[in-house]
Amino acid sequence: MASAKIVDMTIDDIKALITEVVDERLHNWWQQSRDTRSIEEVLAAMDRLRWTPPQRSPSTTELLREDRVR
């Protein structure tokens, strides 16, 4: 199919070619983007990146009420 011209292909042949190209690209993307970290490493990173607001900061509800008053 690689040497066939688009003009000579049927609609089904073109759909099959498109499907093949999309599948190949998705597979390549998946292989490149896989996270190879262990569960422990992921959880440790989550702990490191977690942010806790200061003690006296307003709650989410208080912020929403403040926005509605404006």
Side-chain angles (χ1 to χ4, degrees):
M1 188 187 298
S3 62
K5 293 182 179 180
I6 298 270
V7 171
D8 298 330
M9 297 172 88
T10 65
I11 295 294
D12 288 335
D13 291 338
I14 294 171
K15 286 180 180 179
L17 176 63
I18 291 169
T19 301
E20 182 181 324
V21 170
V22 169
D23 286 348
E24 181 181 333
R25 288 188 180 182
L26 280 172
H27 177 74
N28 291 342
W29 172 81
W30 176 253
Q31 294 294 45
Q32 293 171 357
S33 66
R34 289 180 62 184
D35 193 350
T36 57
R37 298 179 294 175
S38 68
I39 297 294
E40 291 79 16
E41 291 172 319
V42 172
L43 292 174
M46 289 170 62
D47 285 341
R48 267 194 329 274
L49 297 172
R50 184 176 300 153
W51 179 78
T52 304
Q55 199 110 36
R56 294 189 191 125
S57 59
S59 69
T60 308
T61 306
E62 291 169 332
L63 291 171
L64 285 170
R65 286 181 181 146
E66 184 180 316
D67 280 346
R68 288 181 180 167
V69 171
R70 291 182 188 177

